[in-house]
Amino acid sequence: ITKIDINDKFTNLKHLYLNDNFIQKIEYFNCPNLELLDLTNNFIRKIENIGRYPKLTQLNLSNNLIYILENLQNNNNLESIDLSNQYIPSFMNFAIHPQCASPSNTLTSINLENNNLMTCTPLGQFPLLREVNIKGNNIIELMDVLNMTKMCPYIEKINVLNNPFANDNKSTYKNFIIISLKNLTEKDGKEVKE
C-alpha cells in the first residue's frame, strides 16, 4: 500500500495501524477521534498533518526515513511518540526542532533509539517526560544529557547506552544521571536501587 484514502464513514475510528507498507507521506484522514496512529516500517520522510488529530495520544513512526522531530505544536494530547530506528544516512544527524512541542506539553514518553542523534538538550521542551530512550546515538557529552534532565525532572526511565559519552565514562555517567533524576526507577534497562 502506498497511499490510504479513508472516507467520512470512519469518523469514529480511534486506532489506525498502517505499518509495514510503502506509505511515503502522512495524509490527513477525516478521523477526529483518532487516538493511536501506527505507521511503523514505511517510507515517511517528514512529520506532517499530525496536528489535525486533536485526540491523538500515541504516535509510532519507527523504522521510517524521518530525520527531524517537528510539527507537534498542535498535538495537545500526545503522550507517546516512537521515532526509533530511522534510516538516516551516516552523513546526516537526527535533529529535534527547538519549537516543536505543543503549548500543553503532554508528552511523557519518547523513543529516539538508533537515530544518529548528537544532542538531546532540545528534549527539555517536553518537561513532563517520564520515559526517554536515546540509546545507540552519537551523544558525546554527558553534560548534554544532564542539561536535558534538569529540564525534565520527572523522568522515571532513561536509556542512554551505546552513546560515546556512556562508553567513555561508564562508571561516572551512571552516578550523575541517578543523582540528577530523583524519580528514576530504571536506567539503561536495569532497575535503580536506592
Side-chain angles (χ1 to χ4, degrees):
I1 298 173
T2 58
K3 189 174 180 179
I4 303 291
D5 186 21
I6 295 179
N7 59 35
D8 292 336
K9 293 179 184 177
F10 298 99
T11 56
N12 291 322
L13 188 67
K14 290 188 176 191
H15 298 165
L16 183 57
Y17 296 91
L18 297 170
N19 44 314
D20 299 316
N21 285 294
F22 297 94
I23 298 169
Q24 296 181 14
K25 184 177 180 183
I26 302 172
E27 301 287 344
Y28 171 68
F29 314 118
N30 188 17
C31 301
N33 295 306
L34 193 64
E35 295 173 1
L36 182 148
L37 180 58
D38 187 339
L39 288 160
T40 302
N41 266 345
N42 278 285
F43 292 88
I44 296 167
R45 295 184 181 275
K46 184 176 183 177
I47 300 174
E48 56 190 339
N49 291 317
I50 298 299
R52 299 177 80 176
Y53 304 111
K55 295 184 179 180
L56 192 67
T57 59
Q58 296 179 49
L59 178 61
N60 191 338
L61 293 169
S62 61
N63 298 300
N64 275 285
L65 304 168
I66 299 166
Y67 61 92
I68 185 165
L69 175 59
E70 62 184 341
N71 298 326
L72 302 178
Q73 298 90 336
N74 297 319
N75 292 98
N76 296 325
N77 294 308
L78 191 62
E79 297 171 2
S80 174
I81 187 166
D82 186 342
L83 282 163
S84 60
N85 301 304
Q86 298 300 311
Y87 300 105
I88 301 171
S90 60
F91 61 88
M92 292 180 71
N93 297 312
F94 189 89
I96 302 165
H97 191 281
Q99 290 140 356
C100 73
S102 75
S104 65
N105 279 320
T106 54
L107 196 67
T108 59
S109 176
I110 191 161
N111 186 347
L112 296 172
E113 183 175 347
N114 296 326
N115 281 336
N116 207 20
L117 182 67
M118 299 207 51
T119 179
C120 62
T121 301
L123 288 177
Q125 65 187 299
F126 304 106
L128 298 179
L129 281 173
R130 296 204 184 299
E131 295 182 27
V132 175
N133 185 351
I134 50 175
K135 177 182 176 183
N137 282 289
N138 282 324
I139 301 169
I140 296 170
E141 298 292 328
L142 171 61
M143 191 53 69
D144 187 58
V145 177
L146 296 177
N147 286 336
M148 183 264 299
T149 62
K150 283 181 194 174
M151 296 179 278
C152 303
Y154 304 109
I155 295 175
E156 298 168 358
K157 296 179 180 182
I158 189 167
N159 194 333
V160 297
L161 285 174
N162 300 328
N163 278 285
F165 84 87
N167 297 337
D168 295 341
N169 305 304
K170 285 186 181 183
S171 59
T172 310
Y173 91 87
K174 295 175 183 180
N175 293 330
F176 279 114
I177 289 175
I178 290 171
I179 291 168
S180 70
L181 292 169
K182 306 295 182 218
N183 298 314
L184 196 63
T185 60
E186 184 181 299
K187 184 189 58 52
D188 299 338
K190 295 180 181 173
E191 181 182 355
V192 173
K193 297 177 183 171
E194 292 183 32

